[in-house]
Amino acid sequence: MKRLRRSLLIISGNNPKHIQDAPVFDPDVVIFDLEERVAAPDKDSARNLVREALSFLDYSQVEVMVRVNPLDTEEGQKDLDRIARVKPGALIIPKANEQVIKQAEGLLTKIEKEEGFPEGSIEIIPILETASGIENINQLISSSPRVTGLWFNGEGLMAEFGTQRTKEGAELYYVRGRVGIACRAAGIDAIDTIFSDGNDYEGLANDASAARRLGFTGKLALDGRQVDTLNTIFQ
Amino acid sequence: MKISKTAQAGALESNDVLVTVAPNEKGGVQVQLETKRVILKQFGKQIEQVVKDQVAEMGAEDVTVKVQDKGALNYTIRARVQTALERALV
Amino acid sequence: MKNILGREIPDYIEGYGEVKPFMGAFANYGERAKASVTLRSVKPGEKKLLASIEEALDKVGLKDGMTLSFHHHLRNGDYVLNQVMAVVAQRGYKDIHVAATGIFPIHEPLVDYMKKGIVTKISVNYISPGPVAKAISQGLLRHPAVFMSHGGRPRAIESGDLHVDVAFIAAPTADAYGNVNGVGGPAACGTLSYAVADAFFADKVVAVTDHLAPYPACPIEITQDFVDYVVQVDSIGDANGIVSGTLTVTKDPVGLRIAKMAAQLINEAGYIQNEMSFQTGAGGTSLAVAAEVRKYMQEKNVVGSFAAGGITGYIVDMLNEGLFRNLFDVQCFDLKAVASYRENPRHQAMSGSLYGNPHDKGAIVNNLDVMILGATEIDTDFNVNVVTGSDGVIMGASGGHNDTAAGSKIAIIVTSLTKGRLPVIKDRVTTVTTPGETIDVLVTERGIAINPRRKDLLEKLKDSDLPIITIEELKKISESLTGVPETIEFTDRVVAVVEYRDGTVIDVVRQAKE
């Protein structure tokens, strides 16, 4: 947990305006999303756009992370290969388990060698969004030294349960507690799930504070308006 | 490398560009740029050059590139041209 | 010749006359005389109510070459300018000078009159992007258009520089003897500030109304002793075009960011304190700045003396909350503002002259502390363009920009650094509306630049965590995004003259090369 990861602004990797504007809000991290926020026919387009953006725009004031597609898909494999070569700070891996992380670790080591990057310079942030992932959290954390944070995605978990989130978030208390403690014990960042009402600043503050009290060190921001609140609360 | 079909990438949205590539029977690389007059007059030449450079970098020959621009920056133009050409080769 | 801003301006412009060059924002003050008015006195028993616009044109003795004036309080819902000009055209008059305070897309019929030589001159304070603006940019108007500010136009009328033969006042409510107000009737629009100078100084004044009230039509905005005739029509305007919904604070994250930065600067510079005065525009980002300033005022328990400008419901809320003691209103932008103006004596009208005339005994802008403004372009000397795009196509016109910039203690431009691929910061703006000596700060989402002339601000903010850099550095950031633009070429033909508020010529608009 060397640098601050209080606010993680997530944007679609296929949206030039959001890509250009992201650093302006002073988030600690910008997440370029190639998965959920990019439609299937546009995956190749987004991958190229993110690559070109990282070579052209100034992201020196933020940490760059990219959420790739699941690594058991062709898109995911292409994402990892092409994006690693422009040296993001970290790759965010969906549907993460011990085996997937170990595979990513191997690929990244190989690419770093080929490109002349220092080994281990590209970190890995697995996404916790399944019951089994949460149940095996400690194995996941220790699957690779590249894992310096975990992102708990509440929406994914609710989808598995077949229910929906509530604003107050009581349904997340146990999971947040589990994740917060496991990450703290391992000395890595615990990143909280998104608060989906962009107009409700008070609700965001309450939700973020609750996560903080359970050991989280940062939270996803769905747009620039949420960044200031998160930077303050996770200070 | 020659392309065999028409392909598109990007979108007609603010800050983006819709790029359509097609084989050029007449030979050579031809760029057709459509954008707001105020952008055309200030950046038209630059945009054309960016497109031509990207086409050359990918080694594509004998293509027409239609560029419908909505105020995209150079990196977006490069990325969309790249994707359109990759799709035209599949 | 070059004026002091280095703008190339002819000494004499065909269709305009001898050019008095801009000499500085405060160079042109001193003794002034007001024009005298010749009027026809009205005896007891005479009637003013006429049956039609046709009859009004007969009675006022319309001739070729006359100057007809209109106000724009009905904005893009105005019918009156078109109604009057349709009759003027139909009757075969020529060479008419239309002196409208504002022109909107609804006024498209003017383009045809321009082509036919029926209208050969236009003076205007604000012209929204649209067919008329485009036509003027393309040189379809025989004589150059003249752009004046909201304060400069009444100055011109009062001094006699702009002589109005007939003023047509669209009146949401009028009585048969010419008392006029804007608060009643189906086309209620609030204040009629822009029509006041015309009413006082025009040779003939005709009120056009769709709501004839029983005598007297109190509360009276323009009194009967300034009005010659009253004409009743079916409708003076479309309510939907007059007040287009409620204007709200933007939800755009970038706009909100800019607003936050601007408000933080205003606070750190020491302007949020009791008795403060404030003005902002009606756009989403401008209102966002008001929203952020409001937070600071609430936190610090500040009560301001007044807020001014075109007034929106948002500013009315701030008045009702007790954050300002009074409002000075030159234009009501929405229904909430209209209602507040009607009901609340602390919500006062200010005529265009009272608002910004530099040559009277002190305009309201002289008492303004904080002014929030926009810009199409700004150059490294802080000169601002709100008249044309970078291609020279007219898409605005002064409005109250140079009046408020001159009068206010701190004039702040809020804008995104680039608009799409278009850079806002240039080496030289395409057209100057407001001189850099009156612009203090530029706030963009990627950095803030303070005019080097304001050593006091630079000193006060030197330890701020705001991203304050030089305007040259900000321009470099902009160019790293958009690339360096090529310069657009223009012909020698002057299509519009931009007057500064004091009547001198600060710049001209030339026709772009094809």
Side-chain angles (χ1 to χ4, degrees), chain B residues 14-15 36-39 41-47 69-74 77, chain C residues 389-391 393 420-423 426 481-488 512-514:
Chain B
S14 198
N15 296 95
K36 278 208 296 220
R37 206 166 138 267
V38 62
I39 294 179
K41 290 197 159 187
Q42 297 185 93
F43 296 103
K45 288 203 186 109
Q46 207 184 117
I47 293 173
D69 171 59
K70 296 284 178 194
L73 301 184
N74 288 349
I77 298 171
Chain C
S390 302
D391 55 356
V393 173
R421 200 197 175 124
L422 298 172
K426 317 288 287 277
L481 292 167
T482 68
V484 179
E486 284 179 63
T487 18
I488 297 185
K513 279 194 180 149
E514 261 323 297

Side-chain angles (χ1 to χ4, degrees), chain A residues 13-17 19-20 41-46 48-54 56-57 59 82, chain B residues 9-10 13-17 54 57 71-80 82-84 86-87:
Chain A
N14 203 31
N15 186 321
K17 178 149 183 27
I19 288 174
Q20 286 152 213
D42 294 325
K43 299 282 185 195
D44 57 342
S45 217
N48 286 340
L49 188 64
V50 170
R51 260 203 9 213
E52 288 295 329
L54 292 178
F56 178 82
L57 298 167
Y59 292 104
R82 291 234 201 166
Chain B
E13 270 159 39
S14 198
N15 296 95
D16 209 337
V17 58
Q54 185 63 46
E57 197 179 303
L73 301 184
N74 288 349
Y75 79 95
T76 304
I77 298 171
R78 273 196 289 275
R80 297 334 197 178
Q82 203 180 104
T83 307
E86 284 170 357
R87 287 175 177 178

Side-chain angles (χ1 to χ4, degrees), chain A residues 138-153:
Chain A
N138 293 312
Q139 280 96 299
L140 190 58
I141 293 173
S142 52
S143 60
S144 164
R146 291 175 189 269
V147 174
T148 57
L150 279 188
W151 167 13
F152 164 52
N153 182 2

